[in-house]
Amino acid sequence: MLGMLKRHEIEVLLKAGHAKVQVAGLAGVSLSSVKRIAEEDPVVHVDEAAERAKRRVGRPSQVENFRKLVAEILAEKADLPSVEVLRRVREGGYTGGKSALYGLVASLRPKEVKPLVRFEGLPGEFSQHDFGQVDVEFTDGTTRRIRFFASRLKYSRCIRVSLVKDETVESLVRSLARHLDSWGGAPLLCVFDRPKTVALKWRRNGEVAEWNPVFACATLEMGIGVELCWPYRAQEKGAVENLVGFVKGSFFKVRGFQDPEDLEQQLGAWHREVNEERPCRATGVIPALRLAEEAPRLRPLKVRPEELALRIPVYVAPPGRCSTTGMPTRCLPRRSACPGPYTCMPSACASSPVGTKPCIPGNLPRARAPRWRHIARPWWRRYRASAASVI
């Protein structure tokens, strides 16, 4: 088939008064094509695919003669197997191949459209939380990877985002406590994905076999309930992933930042915009107004975020050494060879008995730590005794 622009060119040459033989030479087509185009309607569009389908260019298909019969069969029973449709059409005189008929059946069979289901929550029912990271390019050309922790109340759609230095369990717990406190309390359940900062192991049926001990103790201290997404089922955690995608698409990827300080200032302004000024697209209501309805259903935290102490499980080695943040420390002599956990305040070591005294660094000279000198000899005696009992 000649293209639509080529047909238009032939029409222009004919209207200019050229003879059909001259037009055939100028356009580079046969004389019969010029005669045929001269009898057709003027070209009004350039959609060659639609024109080709309209003209039905090519060898006619045998199955087109049975289109009406296939449509009647599918009208009686839309879910009839294609092989049964083929059998009935062959009884009607069809002698072509099955692939062409199967293609016709697929085009005529009614499409089953699954309804879009949105899982809405009741006031104070649950909230969603997850980590995210994005590479941000500042105006000076430098690029930095920004990590953040996002939280959202499902009913009111109120959002809180905190910039974090890493995605460890302490960053998760501290940010979670601040976000819940800013809302005025915690909902019935806090929904998470299944990172190692929340769950370490789980069975195939979705039951958690081992929780992260720091996270478990923190949730107990704050008095919040936790629900995890089902493993290996991406459609059940879409809401959590959409939260991270929304934060990236509406803030990090659409705004320009001069430096990290400017990013933090714009983040505060963005919080006011999405929570207090702009209606949510899902509900059509400003989140702050729905938060006022949801606030009476939220439960206050048992401890304030600044008073929350983490219980980090550590094991104090026989020489009195332990390590929680990468730096070896020395603990009290009576805690030698004793498993934790011990309470950890933000400014104290995890192995301090009540979280008020930092441990002594383990790389200090022995002259500066005389209380730990007598540990090695009793520990060696216990080791010799246990080894002898095994032998």
Side-chain angles (χ1 to χ4, degrees), residues 179-233:
H179 293 179
L180 297 179
D181 184 69
S182 67
W183 292 333
L188 180 63
L189 294 173
C190 296
V191 180
F192 291 88
D193 201 352
R194 292 181 179 249
K196 293 298 183 181
T197 51
V198 176
L200 299 179
K201 298 178 182 178
W202 55 88
R203 301 181 179 89
R204 289 189 177 274
N205 61 354
E207 181 182 356
V208 177
E210 182 180 356
W211 293 87
N212 186 302
V214 180
F215 176 82
C217 293
T219 57
L220 185 62
E221 292 289 335
M222 293 186 290
I224 63 176
V226 177
E227 182 177 353
L228 303 185
C229 298
W230 195 268
Y232 315 118
R233 299 252 183 114

Side-chain angles (χ1 to χ4, degrees), residues 302-375:
K302 292 183 179 180
V303 293
R304 300 283 298 176
E306 58 272 10
E307 300 174 355
L308 178 62
L310 300 184
R311 295 179 62 85
I312 302 177
V314 297
Y315 182 83
V316 183
R321 293 175 179 268
C322 69
S323 176
T324 58
T325 59
M327 184 185 71
T329 55
R330 292 185 181 275
C331 305
L332 299 178
R334 65 177 181 270
R335 298 190 182 278
S336 177
C338 297
Y342 302 115
T343 304
C344 173
M345 296 293 287
S347 60
C349 176
S351 56
S352 180
V354 294
T356 56
K357 296 181 180 180
C359 290
I360 299 176
N363 54 1
L364 287 179
R366 288 187 176 273
R368 298 181 58 184
R371 291 185 296 173
W372 285 269
R373 291 179 178 177
H374 66 283
I375 293 180

Side-chain angles (χ1 to χ4, degrees), residues 13-78:
L13 292 175
L14 290 174
K15 291 180 180 179
H18 292 281
K20 295 180 180 180
V21 177
Q22 295 177 343
V23 172
L26 294 174
V29 297
S30 64
L31 179 60
S32 60
S33 297
V34 175
K35 293 179 179 179
R36 186 177 63 254
I37 293 174
E39 298 176 357
E40 295 178 351
D41 296 333
V43 176
V44 295
H45 64 86
V46 294
D47 190 351
E48 297 185 4
E51 187 69 19
R52 185 179 294 274
K54 177 182 178 182
R55 293 173 179 267
R56 303 179 67 177
V57 177
R59 187 176 62 181
S61 175
Q62 297 183 22
V63 77
E64 287 296 329
N65 299 328
F66 298 88
R67 176 181 291 269
K68 183 178 179 181
L69 177 59
V70 173
E72 294 176 355
I73 295 174
L74 295 178
E76 297 177 0
K77 190 175 183 181

Side-chain angles (χ1 to χ4, degrees), residues 118-131:
R118 181 186 294 274
F119 296 94
E120 294 293 344
L122 299 175
E125 184 179 7
F126 63 95
S127 59
Q128 302 165 288
H129 311 269
D130 198 9
F131 279 115

Side-chain angles (χ1 to χ4, degrees), residues 38 49 52 57 68 93 133 142 153 185 192 205 209 212 217 240 273-274 299 319 338 381 383:
R52 185 179 294 274
V57 177
K68 183 178 179 181
Q133 60 182 11
T142 60
L153 284 170
F192 291 88
N205 61 354
N212 186 302
C217 293
V240 177
E273 178 184 352
V274 298
R299 298 174 292 111
C338 297
R381 290 174 180 171
Y383 174 77

